[in-house]
């Protein structure tokens, strides 16, 4: 019996020592991130039975419990990606919102208004040189602000791209560490330090991508992306890669296609090209046809009547343009060479003109997990900072750039369309177009001109004047009758840049000479002849950049024509009248341009859609969209932050260290230790008493 008392006392002292050690360690790790409070779990030892009675033999340590609610932790892992996604989006969109700040004294809208006012001032007094200088200055300020904003947007995209590289690197580090922890936990399943570390890494990974976690009976975890792609399985770690996109083929069984899809330009979109009829990829009859999707095949680009739009396969001269990206079929390794093989119904190509995040199953098998705008059903990232950054860069900022480019393109066209028919204070000795064609033999409607789709059948005239006297020599329309197929007027579906050159030379022998230099049309007056343009019903002058006010065709490239910057007297405020004369004080063209501020049906093409609006309304809508997107991101961030904080706080109440609670427990173990020592002392005295009996 005394031996049992000694054993109980000794066990109690040992248990108290362990308890003091465990809870002392809790106190030591009060500020350690991810540390979960440990609790000593004791069990009653086996009892001893003597006769009719049984009595206890003390207590033993059953386990050291790590205080954690698996339910709450799963909630944290579920909600963390949502918070991180909105945090990434809100942070970047808040920055972008500052680029579009508008006030009565500054901003694109203000500078545009100043430019229209300057055109009106020129219309009021077209002879005043100061008005011309003021117009050039106002237009320069407007185009500079467009260029500045789109430059800021591009730089923000570049910053996001740099951040994405870092985030993907962090994700891969976490994936590798989890695979290593799986190996260690199998060998030490009760090592709470390893389990703490695993939860820290899982939380970190869930802030980067949305994940699903399955714990095995062995203690290992299987970690997958939210859409099922495995990241960690046992000791195996899969990899994510941030890499430049391109074109990936998925050919139908038996497809003879051996060439390539080539492209130029950049966009935040991913395009799906689906062949719907067999045929030649080169464009030669019978040519294959295909349709295009901007959302992974969920919907397809449509005609105005809602039917799916079909495109005809072809080479570089027949390139299809979608959202700032041109693509065509060509020989493998040679974009300018025609394709030599055929396409088969069912051939599918994914064109990604941007950097993307891919999940690698092995070294040869991978798939894109970058979010796809308009299609959340795909196997793509939906949460985490990586998804938020990609959405901000591609879906949001990418669309703002596209809309800003559409705005700049339309304003350049509308102003140039009027100005190309205008007359300045001085006649032209020579002029050169600002837009070039890649192949001067291709009909202009099929060329790479930025405004090829704006050209229509029609005519344009040239008026000639004596450089010596300034008097009119002649005025007539350019005649295309000498150009096959013998049509008198220009037809963009038939006539190439070479045809335009030849028609001018045939129409005005000895007066003007047109030549093509580096894909651009230039015209010079011969001898004493100087010239002006008028009555262009085809848009070919503006389409080629002849006699235009602006150069460029998007927000980054638009600027005042360099010849007008050098000499504002070349601003075409007047026009050539029916008699072929330019009257002093004429303001017809200046009035036409100034009136554009009130035009309600300006056409804007962006995001695969075409809309009509005024310049002010279109730009105001863009600014409102930016503000709305930023506000939505902030609101969603606030909501997700509140939900996540609630889960984290509850988990901390379960597993966090409370210094007051720990000190109470430590004091309790101290008392237990002293009491156990007193029990041993008492048993020892009893033993001494027993020994003293004689």
């Amino acid at each position: 019996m005394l031996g049992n008392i000694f054993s109980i006392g000794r066990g109690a002292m040992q248990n108290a020592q362990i308890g003091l050690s465990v809870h002392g360690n809790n106190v030591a790790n009060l500020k350690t991130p991810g540390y979960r409070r440990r609790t000593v779990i004791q069990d009653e030892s086996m009892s001893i039975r003597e006769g009719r009675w049984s009595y206890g033999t003390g207590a033993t340590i059953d386990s050291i419990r790590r205080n954690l609610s698996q339910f709450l932790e799963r909630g944290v892992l579920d909600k963390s990606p949502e918070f991180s996604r909105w945090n990434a989006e809100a942070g970047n969109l808040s920055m972008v919102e500052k680029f579009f700040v508008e006030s009565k004294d500054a901003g694109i809208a203000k500078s545009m208004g100043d430019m229209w006012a300057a055109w009106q001032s020129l219309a009021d007094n077209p002879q005043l040189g100061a008005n011309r200088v003021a117009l050039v200055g106002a237009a320069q300020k407007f185009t500079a602000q467009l260029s500045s904003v789109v430059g800021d947007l591009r730089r923000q995209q570049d910053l996001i791209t740099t951040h994405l590289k870092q985030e993907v690197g962090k994700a891969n580090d976490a994936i590798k560490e989890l695979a290593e922890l799986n190996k260690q936990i199998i060998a030490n399943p009760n090592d709470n330090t390893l389990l703490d570390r695993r939860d820290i890494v899982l939380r970190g990974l869930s802030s980067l991508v949305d994940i699903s976690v399955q714990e095995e009976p062995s203690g290992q975890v299987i970690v997958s992306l939210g859409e099922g792609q495995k990241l960690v399985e046992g000791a195996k770690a899969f990899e994510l890669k941030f890499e430049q996109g391109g074109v990936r083929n998925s050919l139908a069984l038996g497809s003879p296609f051996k060439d390539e899809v080539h492209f130029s330009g950049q966009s935040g979109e991913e395009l799906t090209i689906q062949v719907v009829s067999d045929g030649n990829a080169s464009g030669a009859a019978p040519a294959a046809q295909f349709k295009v999707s901007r959302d992974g095949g969920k919907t397809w680009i449509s005609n105005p009547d809602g039917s799916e739009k079909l495109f005809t396969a072809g080479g570089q001269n027949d390139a299809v343009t979608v959202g700032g990206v041109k693509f065509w079929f060509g020989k493998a390794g040679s974009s300018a060479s025609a394709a030599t093989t055929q396409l088969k119904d069912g051939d599918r190509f994914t064109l990604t003109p941007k950097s993307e995040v891919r999940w690698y199953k092995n070294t040869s098998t991978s798939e894109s997990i970058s979010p796809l705008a308009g299609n959340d059903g795909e196997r793509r990232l939906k949460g985490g900072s990586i998804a938020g950054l990609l959405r901000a860069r591609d879906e949001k900022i990418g669309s703002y750039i596209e809309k800003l480019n559409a705005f700049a393109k339309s304003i350049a066209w509308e102003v140039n369309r009027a100005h190309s028919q205008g007359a300045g204070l001085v006649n032209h000795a020579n002029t050169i177009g600002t837009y070039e064609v890649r192949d001067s033999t291709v009909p202009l409607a099929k060329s790479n001109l930025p405004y090829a789709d704006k050209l229509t059948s029609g005519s344009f005239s040239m008026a000639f004047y004596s450089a010596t006297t300034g008097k009119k020599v002649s005025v007539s329309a350019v005649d295309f009758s000498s150009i096959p197929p013998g049509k008198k007027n220009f037809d963009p579906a038939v006539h190439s840049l070479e045809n335009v050159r030849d028609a001018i030379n045939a129409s005005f022998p000895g007066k003007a000479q047109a030549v093509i230099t580096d894909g651009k049309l230039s015209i010079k007056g011969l001898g004493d002849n100087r010239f002006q343009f008028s009555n262009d019903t085809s848009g070919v002058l503006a389409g080629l950049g002849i006699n235009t006010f602006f150069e460029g065709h998007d927000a980054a490239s638009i600027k005042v024509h360099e010849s007008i910057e050098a000499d504002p007297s070349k601003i075409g405020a007047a026009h050539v009248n029916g008699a072929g004369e330019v009257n002093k004080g004429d303001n017809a063209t200046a009035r036409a341009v100034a009136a554009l501020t009130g035009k309600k049906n300006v056409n804007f093409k962006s995001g695969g859609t075409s809309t009509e609006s005024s310049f002010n309304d279109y730009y105001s809508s863009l600014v409102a969209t930016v503000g709305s997107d930023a506000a939505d991101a902030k609101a969603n961030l606030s909501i997700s932050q509140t939900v996540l904080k609630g889960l984290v706080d509850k988990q901390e109440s379960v597993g966090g260290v409370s210094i007051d609670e720990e000190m109470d427990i430590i004091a309790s173990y101290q008392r237990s230790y002293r009491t156990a020592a007193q029990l041993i002392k008492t048993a020892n005295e009893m033993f001494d008493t027993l020994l003293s009996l004689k």
Side-chain angles (χ1 to χ4, degrees), residues 14 49 122 137 157 170 218 314 363 477 562 577 590 605 633 691:
Q14 290 173 341
R49 185 174 184 83
L122 181 62
Q157 285 185 314
K170 290 178 185 178
S218 64
T363 55
E562 61 178 9
N577 63 22
K605 291 184 178 180
L691 290 177

Side-chain angles (χ1 to χ4, degrees), residues 97-119:
E97 192 177 19
K98 297 175 182 177
F99 303 156
F100 289 89
V101 171
E102 296 287 331
S103 70
K104 64 178 183 178
D105 299 318
I108 289 176
K110 173 64 167 56
S111 62
M112 179 173 62
D114 290 344
M115 181 182 70
W116 296 134
W119 273 106

Side-chain angles (χ1 to χ4, degrees), residues 22-34:
V22 168
H23 288 277
N25 187 59
N26 285 345
V27 173
N29 285 282
L30 177 65
K31 299 295 185 181
T32 301

